[in-house]
Amino acid sequence: MSTIGNRIFTNFKRPSRELIEKFRGLPSSNINDEMNRLYCMHDYITLQNPDTAVQLLGTAITVKVPIGDNLFFHQALDMAQPGDVIVVDGGSGNNRSLAGEIMMRFAQTKGLAGIVVDGCLRDLDGIKKLTMPIYCKGITPQGPYKNGPGEVNAPVACGGQVVFPGDILVGDMDGIVVIRPQDAEELAEVAHKKHSSEDKTFALMESDIVEYSKKHAETTEKRKEGKGIITLESWTAKYQMGE
């Protein structure tokens, strides 16, 4: 039998910490807007400890496992370094958890930057007390098997996104955006500009609502141009009985 699907790749290139830190404090929405809104994970990947978690920001170490089996998840925990985010392709399985509080506490104590699982976790009461951001598809008390096979540090699918080992992940309450390191420098610059522009918008809204309302209406009109939209006095004027 081929070894495909039963492999551990030990090395991958991590982006510099300096590059990763360029995304500190940026909302996932601002970043994804500047990626033409194509690189966010699906909404079913949700933050499980929103009251205690810091921002998700780190380098992906990837894991692919069969539904309901976490042998290679444990392998990734052993291999992960501080600042890494373990990203698990669990096949979106709902019937068994792939980890619980023990593994999550181990990851936090090792200094990992987060856990993202396309599948289920368990021990939610304990997970909610941790500061390391933990994302998953769902929660179930049913535990996993530990038989394999699987892969570590191969490309995986998680929340509708392809994630490569070494990708930069940024996450918050809205969700997670996936960034290729080769795009990161330019992306960080334009995302910061986007964020600054929004801050100016909020400042204008608070200081001069009349002026902001005027600008908003002008923008709406421009967006309507060329779309064949008509304006009528009322619905009843157009559709009265007998007309």
Side-chain angles (χ1 to χ4, degrees):
M1 180 180 289
S2 166
T3 60
I4 297 170
N6 201 29
R7 304 174 295 192
I8 298 167
F9 297 98
T10 57
N11 295 315
F12 65 93
K13 185 177 180 180
R14 290 175 172 86
S16 69
R17 195 68 222 176
E18 180 183 9
L19 181 59
I20 295 169
E21 285 296 320
K22 290 180 183 290
F23 294 93
R24 178 74 64 185
L26 282 175
S28 62
S29 56
N30 288 165
I31 298 168
N32 194 53
D33 279 356
E34 297 304 323
M35 301 174 83
N36 286 292
R37 302 175 179 177
L38 289 174
Y39 286 89
C40 272
M41 291 187 184
H42 290 327
D43 61 342
Y44 66 78
I45 303 294
T46 56
L47 182 62
Q48 299 300 311
N49 52 337
D51 294 334
T52 56
V54 299
Q55 181 189 23
L56 178 75
L57 179 62
T59 303
I61 175 171
T62 60
V63 189
K64 188 176 184 65
V65 299
I67 291 175
D69 190 292
N70 74 355
L71 176 61
F72 279 69
F73 194 165
H74 281 281
Q75 176 66 46
L77 271 174
D78 292 334
M79 294 169 59
Q81 299 178 12
D84 284 346
V85 177
I86 296 181
V87 180
V88 183
D89 177 356
S92 290
N94 289 323
N95 294 329
R96 291 187 180 276
S97 63
L98 292 172
E101 184 178 1
I102 292 175
M103 292 174 69
M104 298 300 100
R105 283 187 177 272
F106 180 33
Q108 177 169 296
T109 305
K110 285 191 68 172
L112 271 62
I115 302 289
V116 183
V117 178
D118 196 335
C120 287
L121 296 173
R122 65 178 179 178
D123 303 329
L124 184 58
D125 286 344
I127 284 173
K128 284 186 172 181
K129 298 174 184 177
L130 302 180
T131 58
M132 179 187 68
I134 299 167
Y135 292 78
C136 67
K137 181 182 179 183
I139 300 292
T140 177
Q142 184 78 288
Y145 296 110
K146 295 173 172 60
N147 300 321
E151 291 200 326
V152 177
N153 287 328
V156 299
C158 186
Q161 292 295 332
V162 177
V163 182
F164 294 88
D167 281 351
I168 299 170
L169 269 64
V170 182
D172 49 27
M173 286 281 290
D174 286 353
I176 299 170
V177 63
V178 181
I179 303 162
R180 307 282 182 255
Q182 59 267 32
D183 298 328
E185 194 79 46
E186 176 187 2
L187 179 59
E189 182 178 349
V190 295
H192 274 287
K193 289 180 180 178
K194 171 79 171 179
H195 191 45
S196 295
S197 174
E198 288 192 353
D199 285 342
K200 291 177 182 177
T201 296
F202 297 144
L204 177 60
M205 194 184 302
E206 293 296 325
S207 64
D208 192 341
I209 188 60
V210 174
E211 178 62 21
Y212 176 77
S213 298
K214 178 182 176 183
K215 290 185 67 174
H216 186 278
E218 290 173 351
T219 300
T220 301
E221 288 302 312
K222 288 181 181 179
R223 288 172 173 167
K224 287 160 54 181
E225 288 178 0
K227 296 181 179 178
I229 299 171
I230 61 172
T231 301
L232 303 171
E233 185 175 335
S234 69
W235 185 86
T236 54
K238 178 69 176 177
Y239 297 104
Q240 285 179 348
M241 293 294 292
E243 291 189 7

